[in-house]
Amino acid sequence: MAHPRYPYRHSAPDRIMGHADMFVLYDGSTVAADMKSIDAAADAFDAALVHPDSHAFLWIDLLQPSHEDLDELASRFGLHPLAVEDAIEAHQRPKFERYGATDFMVLRPAALTINKRPADGEDPARPDFSVEVGETHAFIGDRFLIVIRHSPRDDDAKVRDAFEADPRFAAFPQFSALYRLLDHVVDCYGPIIRMLEDFSDSLEEQIFTGTPARSKDVFQLSRGIIEVERAVSPLTDLMAALFATLKEQGAPDELMRGMRDVADHVRASAEHLERLRSLLREIFTVNATMISEQQNEDMRRMNELSIQQNEQMKKISAWAAMLFFPSLVAGTYGMNFEHMPELHWALGYPFAIALMVAGCAVLWRIFKKVGWL
């Protein structure tokens, strides 16, 4: 049964935990147990913590959990109600906040979808694409990490493999796992930004060769930059808050270096996006100018054509008027009324011809003087 407020989620009785959800209990970086439900994972975690020398770490990863699932997580792991509310509502900006003993992080992973490849003869740097930005929430507690994803993902296996392959930070497994998750999300921005740069460079080359770009291409580039920028821009403040927490927790230098590397990638992505923003403004300005000039040129040609048509119409009207006068004279004398003195006049015919010629000459002179001929 769909939840009345969140129709894309399902209430607990109808929702079956499947392969999209992960409940893994680690002993250090080694998998100790793989559960199928929140209760089973919480019970196993509590049992593992009983041992004084335990290195237990619980990693829960859920895809679009229901309201009831989040309430259960909050009850079993002591999650703050405000953080749970954010996880339910979604549509959050990337951020890092502290709620007592539990930290809460929001990330916006991005993925590039190529809807249509360029056809033969078209610029290969300009495919029909879309940038899809998801949303991932993470609760970081004492030896547990709970990840809530609001969009389908295919990267959990890569992140988990990277965590299991690096046992250096056994004392801080929650931050080690968070580091792998954050590193993967930030690294995914790189290929998207490079594609946007190739796309913008292609548009720039076209525009500066004198050919305006299609409005669809400019809009597509703009939307892609905006989507990625919304995900990347807040990460600078997020990383600063995370560093403060890591220092407070006494995280090892090697883990701090890894986080600094992620922060460097964030800064590099932000700088690339700023360059793309600047280039996009130039493309907008130059392309709008070129389109305006092209429209002005089209209007000039239309005006010239209209003037030419007007000149032709003047000539046609003038010749029609000159031909109409002889027709008027001939039609008048062709009516054959009985009382028409000119019909019996010896000079009637020459007079009619002379009248036609004189009338045409007068009209020709008038039209010539006013510029119609």
Side-chain angles (χ1 to χ4, degrees):
M1 177 178 174
H3 192 278
R5 189 173 180 186
Y6 312 105
Y8 60 89
R9 301 192 181 102
H10 297 278
S11 58
D14 293 338
R15 185 174 180 272
I16 300 175
M17 300 293 182
H19 67 278
D21 300 320
M22 182 182 79
F23 308 86
V24 181
L25 180 65
Y26 289 93
D27 183 9
S29 60
T30 304
V31 176
D34 194 345
M35 287 73 66
K36 300 297 182 184
S37 69
I38 296 173
D39 267 339
D43 291 341
F45 183 53
D46 291 340
L49 291 179
V50 171
H51 302 284
D53 58 345
S54 172
H55 294 90
F57 167 62
L58 179 63
W59 189 339
I60 296 178
D61 197 320
L62 301 178
L63 174 63
Q64 293 180 348
S66 68
H67 195 164
E68 289 81 355
D69 293 332
L70 289 169
D71 287 342
E72 187 176 3
L73 286 170
S75 174
R76 295 304 302 265
F77 295 95
L79 306 182
H80 196 280
L82 291 178
V84 174
E85 182 181 349
D86 285 346
I88 292 174
E89 295 289 347
H91 305 295
Q92 304 291 320
R93 283 172 55 86
K95 62 181 179 179
F96 183 86
E97 296 178 341
R98 303 211 66 184
Y99 292 97
T102 305
D103 300 322
F104 179 65
M105 176 181 285
V106 178
L107 297 173
R108 302 298 299 271
L112 178 67
T113 300
I114 303 298
N115 302 317
K116 184 180 178 182
R117 297 281 181 183
D120 293 340
E122 295 181 345
D123 192 338
R126 256 190 276 174
D128 181 9
F129 72 93
S130 58
V131 176
E132 299 175 0
V133 178
E135 187 167 345
T136 298
H137 299 172
F139 295 91
I140 308 103
D142 185 14
R143 308 196 72 81
F144 70 81
L145 175 66
I146 300 174
V147 178
I148 308 297
R149 301 179 188 261
H150 290 281
S151 56
R153 91 285 190 176
D154 58 357
D155 56 358
D156 59 324
K158 297 178 183 178
V159 175
R160 183 176 164 184
D161 290 345
F163 168 76
E164 294 175 358
D166 188 359
R168 292 175 297 166
F169 314 120
F172 299 88
Q174 67 274 26
F175 290 116
S176 177
L178 182 66
Y179 160 58
R180 297 302 176 184
L181 175 64
L182 187 59
D183 183 54
H184 181 81
V185 170
V186 172
D187 282 347
C188 286
Y189 296 139
I192 301 175
I193 292 174
R194 286 192 291 273
M195 195 284 299
L196 292 174
E197 287 180 328
D198 291 342
F199 198 99
S200 62
D201 289 343
S202 174
L203 283 180
E204 186 182 34
E205 290 176 4
Q206 175 184 336
I207 289 172
F208 284 101
T209 55
T211 305
R214 295 185 305 173
S215 298
K216 175 186 175 183
D217 290 338
V218 178
F219 175 77
Q220 192 175 38
L221 175 63
S222 176
R223 290 303 310 167
I225 294 174
I226 290 172
E227 290 293 339
V228 180
E229 192 172 39
R230 285 175 178 171
V232 173
S233 295
L235 290 181
T236 302
D237 294 336
L238 182 151
M239 295 302 298
L242 178 58
F243 276 127
T245 299
L246 291 174
K247 289 179 181 179
E248 182 181 325
Q249 297 288 333
D253 292 339
E254 192 65 25
L255 180 57
M256 295 293 286
R257 277 192 288 270
M259 288 295 188
R260 278 194 291 270
D261 180 66
V262 175
D264 288 341
H265 289 180
V266 169
R267 281 192 293 270
S269 297
E271 289 172 0
H272 284 295
L273 286 170
E274 181 60 30
R275 172 189 173 274
L276 282 171
R277 268 290 196 181
S278 176
L279 184 58
L280 180 62
R281 285 193 292 268
E282 293 180 7
I283 289 174
F284 266 126
T285 301
V286 176
N287 197 58
T289 301
M290 293 184 66
I291 291 176
S292 177
E293 290 178 350
Q294 189 177 58
Q295 290 175 340
N296 291 338
E297 180 65 19
D298 291 341
M299 288 297 297
R300 186 185 64 80
R301 291 176 181 174
M302 291 179 62
N303 289 335
E304 289 180 352
L305 181 60
S306 178
I307 292 172
Q308 292 176 0
Q309 290 177 340
N310 288 339
E311 292 298 323
Q312 295 298 325
M313 287 301 298
K314 289 178 182 178
K315 293 179 180 180
I316 293 173
S317 299
W319 285 109
M322 287 188 291
L323 292 174
F324 173 74
F325 185 78
S327 300
L328 176 64
V329 174
T332 301
Y333 287 103
M335 290 185 290
N336 294 322
F337 288 114
E338 189 168 339
H339 300 286
M340 292 186 72
E342 294 88 351
L343 294 179
H344 305 287
W345 185 28
L347 297 177
Y349 176 75
F351 173 77
I353 297 298
L355 182 60
M356 293 179 188
V357 172
C360 290
V362 171
L363 289 174
W364 182 87
R365 183 174 179 80
I366 292 172
F367 288 131
K368 188 72 174 178
K369 187 176 183 180
V370 298
W372 284 33
L373 289 175

